Amino acid sequence: HNSTPAQSASYNGSDNYAGINFDFSATAEKVVNAVVHIKSTQTAEVNQKERNIPDPFRDFFDDFFSPRFRDQQPMNPTPQVGTGSGVIISTDGYIVTNNHVIDNASDIEVTLHDNRTFKATVIGTDPTTDLALIQIKATELPQLAFVNSDEVKIGEWVLAVGNPFSLNSTVTAGIVSAKARNINILRDQYAVESFIQTDAAINPGNSGGALVNINGGLVG
């Protein structure tokens, strides 16, 4: 018999969060249709792989990248396929994503939440902020509206929506842990970093996905 007294927990937030009761299903339902899966294909020569391996991991590949292999020229270009996420920001097919998701891609394929697939074209890129804008030929698409990220508060609930490991429409919840983070992850010489840090689970493939507030507004 445990005589330790216990009390039920309750949430007494501000009026903006009244009635949430930690049920994010309405927000998730509003957001998932506007988040897409992106598959980008680029043709890379085999002997370029060594240059793409980060320094801490090069020692693991000493045998493969020995001098006798470095001097050999590839027989054929090798397609490299990467995946990520994107967010529809207009009903006529404009999608924002991370630049590194589509960088140097020769072919970009976008899959919507309803499993329709489209070829995409690059409208513009900004490596300094790791952002890119692409477009698909479609109309009457669901979209997410931007909100002012400067008004996001530390401790505020947010949802991360994307396609980690190519698993479509994955939603995770967390809070804003910090703002204006600079972690020197962008490789561009003139990189501008001011990241929102969150403890919502993020995995490979989430890149370019949506970070939304409890009302479904796009904050990052």
Side-chain angles (χ1 to χ4, degrees), residues 4-58:
T4 304
Q7 293 181 341
S8 59
S10 61
Y11 177 73
N12 297 316
S14 65
D15 291 340
N16 292 333
Y17 298 94
I20 291 176
N21 198 28
F22 297 104
D23 182 356
F24 305 118
S25 58
T27 303
E29 185 176 357
K30 182 190 304 183
V31 171
V32 291
N33 291 306
V35 177
V36 304
H37 178 268
I38 297 176
K39 182 175 75 172
S40 62
T41 304
Q42 57 178 284
T43 302
E45 295 180 349
V46 174
N47 60 5
Q48 288 180 333
K49 289 182 177 179
E50 181 181 10
R51 292 197 292 269
N52 293 333
I53 296 177
D55 289 336
F57 302 103
R58 286 182 182 269

Side-chain angles (χ1 to χ4, degrees), residues 161-172:
V161 187
N163 303 277
F165 307 114
S166 295
L167 300 172
N168 288 359
S169 305
T170 296
V171 180
T172 56

